[in-house]
Amino acid sequence: MSARAYRATVDVVLKRSILDPQGRAVEATLGRLGHGNVSGVRIGKRIEMVLEGERHDVERQLREIADKVLSNPVMEDVEVTLEEA
Amino acid sequence: MSARAYRATVDVVLKRSILDPQGRAVEATLGRLGHGNVSGVRIGKRIEMVLEGERHDVERQLREIADKVLSNPVMEDVEVTLEEA
């Protein structure tokens, strides 16, 4: 098994129980633009990166980066995907 | 056909040809933390929302919101997904 490159995405969104003022502002703006049927706007981050290594190691490393560096587990939920590059 | 609610996500990322200083900063930090095998970090936005209406109308509306309100087509690429809530 040789090392490979993997393309990862990390999606970080505020937990449902946390107010999202930026989302509320966008929702109000959309309403003024005639999009009154839009609700529940939430604004999060999407981080993309490439990791080199063995799949098993890379999965563990990505989980650690997502949980400890890129998100705040008190306020945010995080989802990761990993695919061979 | 009655109106339904649809859950949408809009992912906005900087075009490949545009420098991403925030991504470079995160990549440098990850390197200092021992994640030297990580490259190509890009930081974008992920927007979630709920739209009510007929699927056909909602698809067109979501495309318009994504292209004209939530992203800048000169600098950013945008991807949307839509599923019944």
Side-chain angles (χ1 to χ4, degrees), chain B residues 10-27:
Chain B
V10 179
D11 290 315
V12 181
V13 292
L14 280 172
K15 284 185 192 294
R16 289 279 143 200
S17 54
I18 307 270
L19 276 180
D20 178 357
Q22 197 183 359
R24 296 297 292 271
V26 169
E27 192 172 316

Side-chain angles (χ1 to χ4, degrees), chain A:
Chain A
M1 276 200 311
S2 64
R4 288 165 187 278
Y6 295 89
R7 198 175 302 280
T9 63
V10 179
D11 290 317
V12 181
V13 293
L14 279 172
K15 284 184 192 293
R16 288 278 143 199
S17 54
I18 307 270
L19 277 179
D20 179 355
Q22 196 184 0
R24 296 297 291 272
V26 169
E27 191 171 317
T29 301
L30 287 172
R32 282 194 296 276
L33 293 173
H35 301 293
N37 60 327
V38 176
S39 62
V41 178
R42 311 281 292 175
I43 300 192
K45 278 172 291 184
R46 182 185 186 84
I47 301 117
E48 300 175 350
M49 64 185 73
V50 173
L51 298 96
E52 281 178 44
E54 304 295 345
R55 178 155 194 131
H56 180 78
D57 299 333
V58 162
E59 278 176 359
R60 197 162 32 83
Q61 183 187 13
L62 177 62
R63 200 67 242 181
E64 187 185 318
I65 290 173
D67 291 342
K68 299 198 178 152
V69 183
L70 298 177
S71 70
N72 169 357
V74 176
M75 295 177 62
E76 294 168 328
D77 289 324
V78 63
E79 260 178 50
V80 302
T81 69
L82 191 68
E83 62 183 26
E84 209 159 322

